């Protein structure tokens, strides 16, 4: 699932990870501007839902930055 893929990326990369980095890890770097926009929207929604479910955390005071653990 998308949540599983995001959790794996956050754990693999460790520390604070920006939303754009997660998009590139999931979809590659050869996206058109429109493909990137759609992918980022999907990832952003999944990140928000996963945060609500306690699967990962958003870094306070850093928009669009997440971590698998607050012990980064």
């Amino acid at each position: 699932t998308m949540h599983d893929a995001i959790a794996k990326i956050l754990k693999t990369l460790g520390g604070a990870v920006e939303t754009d980095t997660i998009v590139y890890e999931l979809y590659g770097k050869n996206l058109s501007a429109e493909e990137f926009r759609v992918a980022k929207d999907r990832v952003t929604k999944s990140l928000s839902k996963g945060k609500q479910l306690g699967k990962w955390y958003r870094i306070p005071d850093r928009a669009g930055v997440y971590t698998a653990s607050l012990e980064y």
Side-chain angles (χ1 to χ4, degrees):
T1 68
M2 177 71 84
H3 285 172
D4 292 336
I6 291 172
K8 185 176 180 179
I9 289 168
L10 290 172
K11 287 176 185 168
T12 300
L13 296 179
V17 183
E18 295 182 2
T19 303
D20 288 4
T21 301
I22 297 168
V23 172
Y24 291 133
E25 288 289 323
L26 287 171
Y27 296 97
K29 295 189 178 190
N30 295 323
L31 299 173
S32 69
E34 178 64 15
E35 290 170 329
F36 180 80
R37 186 190 66 73
V38 170
K40 186 169 182 177
D41 183 59
R42 288 180 185 156
V43 169
T44 299
K45 287 177 182 174
S46 291
L47 283 165
S48 292
K49 184 65 173 177
K51 179 187 155 292
Q52 291 174 348
L53 295 172
K55 292 180 179 255
W56 46 75
Y57 306 91
R58 190 178 71 76
I59 304 296
D61 302 322
R62 292 183 63 190
V65 181
Y66 292 82
T67 184
S69 169
L70 289 178
E71 309 258 332
Y72 64 96

